[in-house]
Amino acid sequence: MAEAIMEVGGLVKHYPLTRGVLFKKQIGAVKAVDGVDFTLHRGETLGIVGESGCGKSTVARMLVNLERPTSGTIKYKGEDITRLSGRALKAVRRNIQMVFQDPYTSLNPRMTVGDIIGEPYDIHPEVAPKGDRRKKVQALLDVVGLNPEYINRYPHQFSGGQRQRIGIARGLALRPEIIVADEPVSALDVSVQAQVINLMGRLQEEFSLSYVFIAHDLSIVRHISDRVGVMYLGRIVEIGRDAEIYDHPTHPYTQALLSAVPVPDPEAREKRERIILAGDVPSPTNVPSGCRFRTRCWKAQERCAEEVPVLAVPSPFREPGGPVAHDSACHFAAEAGVVEGQNNGPG
Ligand SMILES: Nc1ncnc2c1ncn2[C@@H]1O[C@H](COP(=O)(O)OP(=O)(O)O)[C@@H](O)[C@H]1O
Ligand SMILES: [Mg+2]
């Protein structure tokens, strides 16, 4: 596998929960992100999936330094960027850019497309001196499949898919190494989603980009991800190579999510049962003890209320390269990982 370009360790973001208007008193915390670990390798796409409210956007904002973590580290090429400030931070930020979820609200309606895409150059004029800007912006329009002559138009003159192309062009303006895309196609019609995903795949090759690609649905990240991490209530509960997660999920939450993804093959569809989870996602202000998924899990036992499951490869499968040699935060991941017809169980 390629080298690690970003390493996230113990990432936490708690927002204070306050009461009172004049005299604010902290009465608790919204545990939006509550201990996230992952590695992003150079040139890969790491998909991050989870239901609305599980902390995906909060992770994204911390990765691009729009928000400081409560605790934890984000290492970019070995250096913890959460501790940087001033010029060092600015230099790192240039290399880690974000594409936002909603191209309808993330583009300033009063600015021309040229000014929107060229805006990052105001902060980093060294990348494009004034005289070069127009040419650079037109080249960016071309690269995302838009007519360079549209440079003086306004966002409302474009369709949703075209607007997201503008957002992507802006993300590329500083020639970053990492792009964090926060549900970049969720606001788009299904028919345009694939076009934007294909474009992002092409750009990844062309510019040797590493992606953190966030989605709320496993079927969207399937086509673009090399590895996939599944989030639940502020934590990653299972993470591994694409094929392992889709074919041999060992966490009950992943299994439930996958059971809701439509399968084109009727034979495979018959074999699979739809898992309906009990209840709702608990509030991040009141996270269950032990395994945070236990209140909705059909496998939950006493142990699950007492012991926090560690995100790790289940012990019988620690030989590398096996079909379930990926991390899962479930006390019963080993049992779920026994693959039919394969003798890789504990013996
Ligand atoms: N600035 C904030 N202040 C308080 N709570 C927040 C803030 N931002 C997000 N949250 C809460 O944190 C949780 C995670 O939000 P978010 O990261 O947006 O999730 P997702 O992107 O997965 O939908 C939600 O419960 C949300 O209400
Ligand atoms: Mg979000």
Side-chain angles (χ1 to χ4, degrees):
M1 217 178 272
E3 73 187 284
I5 191 164
M6 192 182 244
E7 291 164 282
V8 172
L11 196 62
V12 169
K13 183 74 193 185
H14 289 180
Y15 296 105
L17 194 63
T18 55
R19 194 162 53 197
V21 181
L22 285 178
F23 302 99
K24 283 215 168 106
K25 193 175 155 215
Q26 185 168 343
I27 51 165
V30 181
K31 298 180 173 174
V33 176
D34 204 23
V36 161
D37 304 88
F38 64 80
T39 300
L40 178 68
H41 304 97
R42 189 183 282 282
E44 84 170 340
T45 298
L46 172 66
I48 303 270
V49 174
E51 287 165 282
S52 177
C54 73
K56 304 180 298 293
S57 294
T58 307
V59 168
R61 288 196 301 272
M62 290 191 280
L63 295 184
V64 300
N65 244 298
L66 283 175
E67 202 155 14
R68 292 249 168 192
T70 305
S71 59
T73 54
I74 301 169
K75 286 185 180 165
Y76 165 69
K77 294 181 178 170
E79 186 176 31
D80 185 3
I81 61 171
T82 64
R83 280 161 214 283
L84 297 179
S85 59
R87 210 190 307 191
L89 177 60
K90 199 172 146 189
V92 165
R93 268 184 152 166
R94 194 192 135 180
N95 283 311
I96 311 170
Q97 292 289 313
M98 179 128 156
V99 172
F100 293 91
Q101 173 168 2
D102 188 349
Y104 295 92
T105 58
S106 61
L107 307 180
N108 187 335
R110 290 190 192 84
M111 281 166 74
T112 65
V113 163
D115 288 339
I116 289 171
I117 297 174
E119 201 179 19
Y121 299 138
D122 292 340
I123 303 154
H124 293 274
E126 75 281 6
V127 184
K130 273 264 187 250
D132 268 6
R133 275 201 192 184
R134 200 179 162 80
K135 260 201 311 208
K136 282 216 187 240
V137 169
Q138 286 183 318
L140 283 164
L141 281 168
D142 188 50
V143 114
V144 299
L146 293 173
N147 188 337
E149 286 170 18
Y150 292 170
I151 188 164
N152 293 322
R153 296 194 180 183
Y154 289 87
H156 75 265
Q157 294 174 285
F158 294 89
S159 69
Q162 287 174 322
R163 286 189 211 203
Q164 196 51 299
R165 286 170 194 261
I166 295 165
I168 291 168
R170 177 175 58 187
L172 285 174
L174 299 173
R175 289 296 312 270
E177 292 184 285
I178 299 172
I179 286 196
V180 179
D182 186 11
E183 300 203 41
V185 300
S186 296
L188 305 179
D189 288 345
V190 176
S191 58
V192 244
Q193 288 184 348
Q195 294 168 15
V196 173
I197 289 175
N198 289 344
L199 169 70
M200 289 188 66
R202 190 164 57 68
L203 295 171
Q204 180 170 42
E205 300 257 303
E206 194 169 338
F207 298 104
S208 314
L209 295 163
S210 310
Y211 284 154
V212 175
F213 192 105
I214 294 169
H216 63 257
D217 181 339
L218 273 164
S219 61
I220 288 175
V221 293
R222 167 123 232 200
H223 305 283
I224 190 162
S225 301
D226 300 296
R227 287 188 310 130
V228 174
V230 177
M231 272 185 87
Y232 183 80
L233 207 55
R235 268 188 185 244
I236 289 180
V237 296
E238 182 162 14
I239 185 166
R241 277 182 289 147
D242 169 51
E244 294 192 17
I245 298 297
Y246 287 91
D247 298 337
H248 305 292
T250 62
H251 197 288
Y253 181 60
T254 313
Q255 291 170 350
L257 280 187
L258 274 171
S259 82
V261 172
V263 192
D265 173 11
E267 208 177 304
R269 191 167 31 200
E270 233 163 70
K271 271 199 245 157
R272 214 171 59 181
E273 243 173 280
R274 175 82 197 260
I275 302 165
I276 311 277
L277 291 176
D280 294 320
V281 185
S283 161
T285 58
N286 193 10
V287 174
S289 67
C291 172
R292 57 193 59 213
F293 182 60
R294 71 175 163 85
T295 54
R296 305 175 73 197
C297 184
W298 64 98
K299 287 183 183 172
Q301 314 260 323
E302 236 165 80
R303 180 183 175 193
C304 304
E306 288 153 12
E307 248 180 87
V308 178
V310 178
L311 182 64
V313 177
S315 53
F317 307 111
R318 292 232 166 102
E319 79 275 30
V324 284
H326 67 265
D327 296 347
S328 181
C330 171
H331 293 309
F332 307 109
E335 292 154 37
V338 176
V339 179
E340 239 176 88
Q342 239 165 333
N343 187 20
N344 56 1

